[in-house]
Amino acid sequence: MSKPMQKLSIGVDVGGSSIKCALVDTASGQRLERHSVPTPAQGSIEDMLESIASAVDKLPAALPVGLAFPSVIVRGTVRTAAHLNKGWIGRPLGELASRRLGRAVTAINDADAAGLGEQRYGAARDVRGTVLLLTLGTGIGSALFINGQLVPNTELGHLRVGDREAEERAAPRIKVERDLSWDAWTDELNLVLREMHALLWPDLVILCGGITEEPENFFSKLRCEAELRIGTLRAEAGIAGAALATTLGDT
Ligand code: BGC
């Protein structure tokens, strides 16, 4: 069988601490050349665009860019800013980034991008039914798929679980801020998983984010009625999915 032809795009993932980008073969999901710069999370809009450009400008010029951003994105416009400068709300990220980068830009929520990555190339590949992917980092992001179709901007990290939002219980940031032991943090994540499961009854839940690089510290203690998997693209699911988004049109 002949290999499918390479179709290259640039994937960018704006995370809490770093902006990562890579050249991605969207046929296979393979990441080819990577760069990363620190995220100016509370910096101005200009600072953020400048940092994104400083990473992307190291990659070939003419390629389209998929930009994963930690906020609700509706048709290219930022609608929320939980851990960003609030000045982003209402700003047309896709347009602004496209002007700054001189490339076509598809902007997408970061968890939706990670979900697209895992769904096309990773742990949710060929899985039918309801799939919930959670990214665990500064916040908790969510991506929901029904028979392979993304329901964008689900924002389940802001679901109230008891007296707090899910991400204020179980984001890895909280583990650090409150100096929680692995067991205490795993208990919080179990509460979050239970609440989300009771609402959606997913067939499969996939966990992504840097903390999933150390599954030995918590994975065996997780309790969920759905099957649980760790994402296979690890920290690069968002980059791969953002690049893929450039080939999909509006998500
Ligand atoms: C934001 C989401 C984002 C998630 C992960 C949340 O605080 O509201 O849009 O996907 O963090 O970055």
Side-chain angles (χ1 to χ4, degrees), residues 13-16 69-73 80-83 109-112 135-142 153 155-158 165 167-168 173:
D13 191 2
V14 176
F69 208 65
S71 64
V72 169
I73 306 280
T80 62
H83 302 284
N109 169 264
D110 58 352
D112 286 347
T135 61
L136 307 173
T138 304
I140 292 183
S142 60
N153 293 312
E155 292 293 308
L156 292 178
H158 299 290
E165 290 189 355
E167 70 173 31
E168 295 306 317
R173 168 182 53 90

Side-chain angles (χ1 to χ4, degrees), residues 33-249:
E33 180 188 336
R34 301 163 170 86
H35 297 283
S36 124
V37 296
T39 306
Q42 294 299 331
S44 67
I45 288 167
E46 207 23 66
D47 291 340
M48 180 69 88
L49 293 171
E50 195 50 45
S51 298
I52 293 171
S54 69
V56 172
D57 283 345
K58 297 180 176 128
L59 295 169
L63 295 171
V65 173
L67 178 54
F69 208 65
S71 64
V72 169
I73 306 280
V74 179
R75 285 177 287 281
T77 293
V78 175
R79 303 300 301 272
T80 62
H83 302 284
L84 293 166
N85 180 327
K86 302 284 179 243
W88 272 108
I89 297 174
R91 304 304 292 269
L93 171 65
E95 249 176 72
L96 294 172
S98 177
R99 221 176 296 146
R100 179 65 187 77
L101 298 174
R103 299 161 168 95
V105 173
T106 304
I108 178 175
N109 169 264
D110 58 352
D112 286 347
L116 287 175
E118 290 291 345
Q119 200 250 343
R120 177 68 67 95
Y121 313 114
R125 197 173 173 165
D126 299 327
V127 178
R128 307 289 294 168
T130 302
V131 176
L132 174 64
L133 174 134
L134 299 176
T135 61
L136 307 173
T138 304
I140 292 183
S142 60
L144 183 66
F145 290 84
I146 306 193
N147 291 333
Q149 182 67 44
L150 174 67
V151 181
N153 293 312
T154 45
E155 292 293 308
L156 292 178
H158 299 290
L159 182 73
R160 267 200 113 64
V161 177
D163 62 354
R164 264 172 279 163
E165 290 189 355
E167 70 173 31
E168 295 306 317
R169 286 188 174 279
R173 168 182 53 90
I174 297 294
K175 180 179 182 312
V176 175
E177 282 177 10
R178 296 214 203 109
D179 196 19
L180 298 179
S181 66
W182 282 105
D183 280 1
W185 177 75
T186 308
D187 287 347
E188 294 288 352
L189 186 54
N190 276 332
L191 287 178
V192 164
L193 289 172
R194 192 175 67 192
E195 194 74 14
M196 290 183 182
H197 184 271
L199 290 175
L200 297 168
W201 289 83
D203 298 288
L204 171 65
V205 176
I206 297 174
L207 302 178
C208 293
I211 203 158
T212 61
E213 311 270 351
E214 308 168 78
E216 64 283 2
N217 290 323
F218 67 97
F219 193 73
S220 66
K221 294 179 211 124
L222 287 178
R223 300 285 167 260
C224 182
E225 281 196 53
E227 182 188 348
L228 269 179
R229 291 183 196 166
I230 300 280
T232 57
L233 307 186
R234 303 295 169 104
E236 294 193 347
I239 296 179
L244 177 63
T246 64
T247 70
L248 302 177

